[in-house]
Amino acid sequence: MSKITGTGIVVASGDVLTLDESVPSHDLGELVHLSDGRAFRYVLAGGTDLVRGNLIQSQAQATDSQSLIVAAAAIGALEITTTDTTTVTANEVAGGWVLVTGEASTGRGQLLRIKSHPAATAAVVTLTLEDPVQVALTATSQIDLVHNPYNGVIQNPTTATGSVVGVAISPIAASQYGFIQVRGVAPVLAQGALTIGTLCVASNGVAGAVELSTNASTEAQQPVGTATTGVADTENGAVLLNLA
């Protein structure tokens, strides 16, 4: 078991360093701290096993779930129905959010958590919300469906298709649940030598690795943390993560 520092409350259903379960015991994204400064978030692995010590990304962005026009919805409504069509599996975006977007959208800027929704194949979809609509939506309002970043996580690719969310600390099997590390010292795969005290970013040359941020090109890649020791190329070395 692992506990939240300072509260004494046991929140993890098992050892955060080895948990690999088929039935979820936590909310996706739930944060657990250890007393040594490490922190972990609960995730669902995507279609392939997670590799210990590899950098992990959220699932690839689904562009067909962006800028969807919706039917009018009153303040306090707990359902939003699109009038544009999209394709989603049942509850694919549950635990994620409706983001009201678009320059001319009434109610722009709202972020509303999704409770559930049915499957849709090139069809409209009704989203049941946990958060009520705060500003009424009109028939010209547009939304994006934003997946929970901890749902369906994958090895970080060399070309970003989502956001870096952590480092695998155990080989969580495909479609299984467990924890990845987001803060504190972690054993991360290196592309090129890492220099102690230097900023590390997501590698664009080796999937699942980090590299040093040394020039304008690498500075554009997502920051991950700081090397806490010198690390040789292709080895796993100590990186102080700052992803929570």
Side-chain angles (χ1 to χ4, degrees):
M1 294 290 186
S2 302
K3 65 181 181 181
I4 299 249
T5 305
T7 69
I9 300 173
V10 175
V11 296
S13 61
D15 186 345
V16 296
L17 301 179
T18 60
L19 192 64
D20 185 3
E21 57 189 4
S22 59
V23 178
S25 56
H26 300 273
D27 290 335
L28 290 175
E30 185 169 344
L31 181 65
V32 172
H33 292 271
L34 299 185
S35 59
D36 60 9
R38 288 178 293 169
F40 308 84
R41 288 197 184 271
Y42 191 70
V43 301
L44 171 64
T48 57
D49 298 354
L50 303 188
V51 176
R52 190 196 312 271
N54 272 204
L55 203 60
I56 302 301
Q57 182 202 267
S58 60
Q59 67 173 277
Q61 175 182 307
T63 56
D64 67 341
S65 295
Q66 293 182 311
S67 300
L68 302 174
I69 298 174
V70 298
I75 293 174
L78 287 172
E79 285 189 348
I80 293 175
T81 300
T82 68
T83 53
D84 279 340
T85 62
T86 188
T87 297
V88 288
T89 58
N91 292 321
E92 176 184 334
V93 200
W97 302 272
V98 167
L99 172 62
V100 184
T101 184
E103 186 175 352
S105 290
T106 302
R108 178 182 178 186
Q110 296 179 79
L111 186 69
L112 308 171
R113 183 167 168 142
I114 299 168
K115 182 178 181 180
S116 63
H117 62 82
T121 303
V124 302
V125 64
T126 296
L127 306 157
T128 300
L129 306 176
E130 292 188 7
D131 302 324
V133 172
Q134 300 159 4
V135 179
L137 305 180
T138 70
T140 61
S141 296
Q142 292 181 329
I143 66 169
D144 287 354
L145 302 183
V146 181
H147 289 76
N148 186 308
Y150 305 103
N151 183 2
V153 300
I154 60 174
Q155 182 189 58
N156 191 63
T158 55
T159 299
T161 58
S163 298
V164 173
V165 291
V167 171
I169 52 170
S170 61
I172 302 172
S175 303
Q176 292 274 106
Y177 296 86
F179 285 94
I180 60 172
Q181 189 171 345
V182 295
R183 288 189 74 89
V185 175
V188 189
L189 178 65
Q191 179 206 351
L194 306 183
T195 305
I196 187 171
T198 306
L199 178 66
C200 299
V201 297
S203 170
N204 64 355
V206 175
V210 296
E211 62 178 308
L212 291 183
S213 177
T214 57
N215 54 50
S217 175
T218 54
E219 286 167 4
Q221 294 154 220
Q222 186 173 340
V224 172
T226 305
T228 58
T229 65
V231 183
D233 181 28
T234 73
E235 292 188 357
N236 283 69
V239 175
L240 184 62
L241 301 179
N242 188 22
L243 291 167

